[in-house]
Amino acid sequence: PPQLAYLVAQPGFAVYRNTVLKGCIDALQANFPAVARIVGDEWFRAAASVHARNALPDTATLLTYGQSFPDFLAHFGPAAELPYLADVARADRLWSEAHVAADDTVLDPARLARIGPDDMDRVTLRPHAAARWTWCDEHPVYTLWSRNRASGADFNAQIDWRGEGILLTRPHGAVDHRALPRAGAAFLTACAAGLSIARAVAAALEVDPGAD
């Protein structure tokens, strides 16, 4: 409508639009710190600006803004020389999801120990509400992410360039993370699908017969 076009053309509206865009860029930089450290502030904010113009937030809070940012980086031409960048972004995103997930109870190890061999086919394990995990065949995603997420990391240490997984969860208030083997990722995915412990173990052994 002409009235809307007139409103959008006003200098005040342009200031508002620029303020919103800056807020989106700032939020992406806060939510994807490992990515920002890898590429530097200038590169990151330029890429975030391109993304934000086409993916404005749909909620008032920006704490979890950036759901589609990893996929954006996977198809972003200037990121082609960093094929692992989207996977690092996905790890940053999983951290945000674990951080804001609902509180949940934690399984008592003693209760787990009481599960006998005859129960394995009928008992299921439900992942914690804050548990997030992923496996990457091509890149050492956990090493790349954890080194760039933490301050004071040794960037000169040798990286064994092979596939890695990552597990993040929040059992006691703070997000905890660790490297996850491929069999571990398969086991958790099977548990999340509601499979019994026996079937989850079988799924893990299928991807790595030598897994513990």
Side-chain angles (χ1 to χ4, degrees), residues 5-27:
Y6 174 79
L7 175 63
V8 171
Q10 298 307 301
F13 190 89
V15 171
Y16 169 78
R17 184 172 57 233
N18 291 337
T19 301
V20 171
L21 181 61
K22 181 181 183 302
C24 291
I25 295 171
D26 290 344

Side-chain angles (χ1 to χ4, degrees), residues 34-124:
V35 175
R37 178 169 289 185
I38 289 173
V39 299
D41 288 348
E42 184 177 358
W43 193 103
F44 185 94
R45 294 185 71 83
S49 175
V50 174
H51 173 70
R53 292 176 190 276
N54 297 287
L56 292 173
D58 53 10
T59 62
T61 177
L62 295 179
L63 186 62
T64 58
Y65 175 54
Q67 180 177 1
S68 59
F69 190 58
D71 287 340
F72 163 79
L73 289 176
H75 301 94
F76 187 48
E81 295 182 358
L82 301 172
Y84 53 82
L85 197 62
D87 289 314
V88 173
R90 291 186 182 99
D92 269 336
R93 175 67 189 179
L94 294 181
W95 189 98
S96 295
E97 292 179 3
H99 178 63
V100 301
D103 293 333
D104 201 1
T105 55
V106 179
L107 178 64
D108 180 1
R111 184 179 179 188
L112 180 63
R114 290 196 295 270
I115 299 175
D118 295 338
D119 299 322
M120 295 296 180
D121 268 327
R122 63 180 183 83
V123 176
T124 60

Side-chain angles (χ1 to χ4, degrees), residues 133-137 163-166 179-191 199-212:
W133 62 92
T134 188
W135 169 261
C136 179
D137 281 322
E164 275 185 354
I166 178 173
L180 183 68
R182 187 181 180 192
F187 179 82
L188 287 170
T189 298
C191 288
R199 294 182 65 187
V201 169
L205 294 176
E206 184 175 348
V207 300
D208 182 3
D212 185 349

